[in-house]
Amino acid sequence: MAAQSKIPQATAKRLPLYYRFLNNLHLQGKTRVSSKELSEAVKVDSATIRRDFSYFGALGKKGYGYNVEYLLGFFRKTLDQDETTNVALIGVGNLGTAFLHYNFTKNNNTKIEMAFDADTSKIGETIGGVTVYHIDEMEDRLKNVQAVILTVPGSVAQPIAERIVKCGITGILNFTPARITVPDSVRVHHIDLAVELQSLVYFMKHYPNAL
Amino acid sequence: MAAQSKIPQATAKRLPLYYRFLNNLHLQGKTRVSSKELSEAVKVDSATIRRDFSYFGALGKKGYGYNVEYLLGFFRKTLDQDETTNVALIGVGNLGTAFLHYNFTKNNNTKIEMAFDADTSKIGETIGGVTVYHIDEMEDRLKNVQAVILTVPGSVAQPIAERIVKCGITGILNFTPARITVPDSVRVHHIDLAVELQSLVYFMKHYPNAL
């Protein structure tokens, strides 16, 4: 799909958001949606939505809006909804436990298959339907896993990251305060709670009333 | 500060990240830093860093790099590090508890002052130094609070958001799966765990090797 490689990263980041909302509309029996409705629901301004959608070849009609089913079909293909990605979670503390209770499969084909922790008292437990294994079993068990959610203490994030990269993991959702260094072939998305909070405060002060 | 309103939002979002790393360098006694070092540490490409820094009036010198102290001084002023923002956390489940244990004040002047929950068994507990109050005390206690971290179940996110907006809150870090609707005067940053995971998977498949 040559067209996809032309989608700007900022647009690509909003795809899962659009998909999720349109899927909900579809489940409610809605057949069309205006960019204004979309804008209010996903909190992205409608000019940006129209530009994003033009990259997908979807052009809304005045007074009609967008066809929900067409868009969903396009997004499903684009987001590879039919192919499940196996995910492991490493670090079953409070944050890790919150992730295990989160029902990821409800809206997409991403599934947490297993969890790991160093605390032997947690080994063998099932949380949110996911079994917790000892962290030293990672090398044996990560064979069919592509992505990892990292919720270990920041102090061990780097050595754990190096171990999982050796297991062939190509994507890491890093929820630790530590930034990790991995080969370029591994995609890392970092969500740092302190940075998110500081960023909110900065925008509150400097960009009030902005979308 | 007229110059600040010209900083693009994408640049503004990276400010807390830059600040954090430069503060660490400063604590280690480093006086200068190259855009290459910065790039490797904060995982932003060096062309973007140079463009970002040019908005701050900071121009690196070839073979010298940037002056750490000058940049820190600039960022401190810009990020209003001297003024503490009072934050409340609403919803002391696993995710909320993880936030309470997170040491936010280590790197900036954002402080979680109090927490709220509907579960009476949690009321009066102190978690990470923060006291948990009953959610019906919000209206009395939120008077000196500017921002809220929302970690309640998605099903109650909207009614709780409406209550805190009435208390004068102007910023919400929404960690629930639900998107919330509030007046334009309230800044909302939404971090949806499922969207973050789906976004990572999408980038793994379509943008391998990209920063």
Side-chain angles (χ1 to χ4, degrees):
Chain A
M1 297 209 211
Q4 283 184 17
S5 56
K6 284 184 205 158
I7 298 177
Q9 291 212 9
T11 300
K13 280 207 172 175
R14 287 185 286 269
L15 271 183
L17 209 59
Y18 293 143
Y19 174 74
R20 215 166 192 235
F21 176 68
L22 287 164
N23 203 26
N24 283 335
L25 278 187
H26 183 63
L27 292 172
Q28 289 162 31
K30 299 264 169 71
T31 56
R32 55 185 188 168
V33 63
S34 68
S35 56
K36 189 164 167 280
E37 282 172 284
L38 262 168
S39 168
E40 278 163 17
V42 300
K43 316 289 177 201
V44 171
D45 66 276
S46 38
T48 302
I49 288 180
R50 280 191 295 269
R51 199 180 56 235
D52 283 353
F53 281 26
S54 72
Y55 289 116
F56 319 145
L59 302 167
K61 281 179 218 156
K62 264 240 161 90
Y64 177 87
Y66 296 95
N67 182 304
V68 171
E69 206 145 352
Y70 169 84
L71 279 172
L72 264 186
F74 181 87
F75 289 158
R76 273 210 198 91
K77 250 186 285 167
T78 309
L79 290 170
D80 292 335
Q81 289 292 316
D82 297 328
E83 195 189 315
T84 301
T85 298
N86 294 326
V87 178
L89 179 132
I90 305 181
V92 189
N94 284 304
L95 190 59
T97 303
F99 263 110
L100 292 179
H101 283 298
Y102 199 103
N103 189 355
F104 285 105
T105 48
K106 219 171 64 182
N107 284 286
N108 59 65
N109 285 358
T110 316
K111 199 172 167 229
I112 300 183
E113 291 282 344
M114 56 188 87
F116 297 93
D117 202 282
D119 179 351
T120 48
S121 75
K122 290 175 184 164
I123 312 308
E125 260 190 82
T126 302
I127 303 174
V130 179
T131 305
V132 182
Y133 297 103
H134 192 275
I135 196 143
D136 287 342
E137 293 186 47
M138 278 198 318
E139 280 76 4
D140 287 331
R141 294 192 178 273
L142 285 182
K143 289 184 177 73
N144 291 312
V145 171
Q146 293 88 47
V148 151
I149 301 172
L150 201 61
T151 44
V152 297
S155 54
V156 297
Q158 183 61 38
I160 295 286
E162 286 167 19
R163 278 174 67 182
I164 57 184
V165 165
K166 277 190 193 143
C167 297
I169 296 294
T170 54
I172 300 175
L173 194 57
N174 178 15
F175 262 92
T176 79
R179 292 188 86 77
I180 55 177
T181 301
V182 294
D184 281 350
S185 55
V186 180
R187 179 99 206 172
V188 179
H189 282 201
H190 188 205
I191 295 121
D192 181 320
L193 305 184
V195 169
E196 294 295 338
L197 186 56
Q198 209 173 358
S199 170
L200 171 72
V201 168
Y202 179 78
F203 276 87
M204 280 163 64
K205 290 181 181 166
H206 296 280
Y207 298 88
N209 303 316
L211 252 181
Chain B
M1 297 204 219
Q4 281 183 20
S5 57
K6 283 184 204 159
I7 297 177
Q9 291 212 9
T11 300
K13 280 207 171 175
R14 286 185 286 268
L15 270 183
L17 210 58
Y18 294 143
Y19 173 74
R20 216 166 192 232
F21 176 68
L22 286 165
N23 204 25
N24 283 335
L25 278 187
H26 182 64
L27 292 172
Q28 289 162 34
K30 298 263 170 72
T31 56
R32 56 186 186 166
V33 63
S34 68
S35 56
K36 191 166 167 279
E37 283 173 282
L38 263 169
S39 168
E40 278 163 16
V42 299
K43 317 287 177 202
V44 172
D45 67 275
S46 37
T48 301
I49 288 180
R50 280 191 296 268
R51 199 181 54 234
D52 283 352
F53 281 26
S54 72
Y55 290 116
F56 319 145
L59 302 167
K61 282 179 215 154
K62 263 240 161 90
Y64 176 88
Y66 296 95
N67 182 304
V68 170
E69 207 146 350
Y70 169 84
L71 279 172
L72 264 186
F74 181 86
F75 289 159
R76 271 208 200 91
K77 250 186 287 167
T78 309
L79 291 169
D80 292 336
Q81 289 291 318
D82 298 327
E83 197 189 314
T84 301
T85 298
N86 294 327
V87 179
L89 180 133
I90 305 181
V92 190
N94 284 304
L95 190 59
T97 303
F99 263 110
L100 293 179
H101 283 299
Y102 199 102
N103 189 354
F104 285 105
T105 48
K106 221 171 63 182
N107 284 286
N108 60 65
N109 285 358
T110 317
K111 200 172 165 229
I112 300 182
E113 292 282 344
M114 55 188 87
F116 296 93
D117 203 282
D119 179 352
T120 48
S121 74
K122 290 174 185 165
I123 312 309
E125 259 191 84
T126 302
I127 303 174
V130 179
T131 305
V132 181
Y133 298 103
H134 192 273
I135 196 140
D136 288 341
E137 293 186 46
M138 278 196 321
E139 280 75 5
D140 287 331
R141 294 192 179 273
L142 285 181
K143 289 185 176 71
N144 291 311
V145 170
Q146 293 88 45
V148 151
I149 301 173
L150 200 61
T151 45
V152 298
S155 54
V156 297
Q158 183 61 37
I160 295 286
E162 285 167 19
R163 279 175 65 182
I164 57 184
V165 165
K166 278 190 194 144
C167 297
I169 296 295
T170 54
I172 300 175
L173 194 57
N174 177 15
F175 263 92
T176 79
R179 292 187 86 77
I180 55 177
T181 301
V182 294
D184 281 350
S185 54
V186 180
R187 180 100 205 173
V188 179
H189 282 200
H190 188 205
I191 296 121
D192 181 320
L193 305 184
V195 169
E196 294 296 338
L197 186 56
Q198 208 173 0
S199 171
L200 171 73
V201 168
Y202 179 77
F203 277 87
M204 281 165 63
K205 289 181 180 165
H206 296 280
Y207 298 87
N209 304 314
L211 252 180

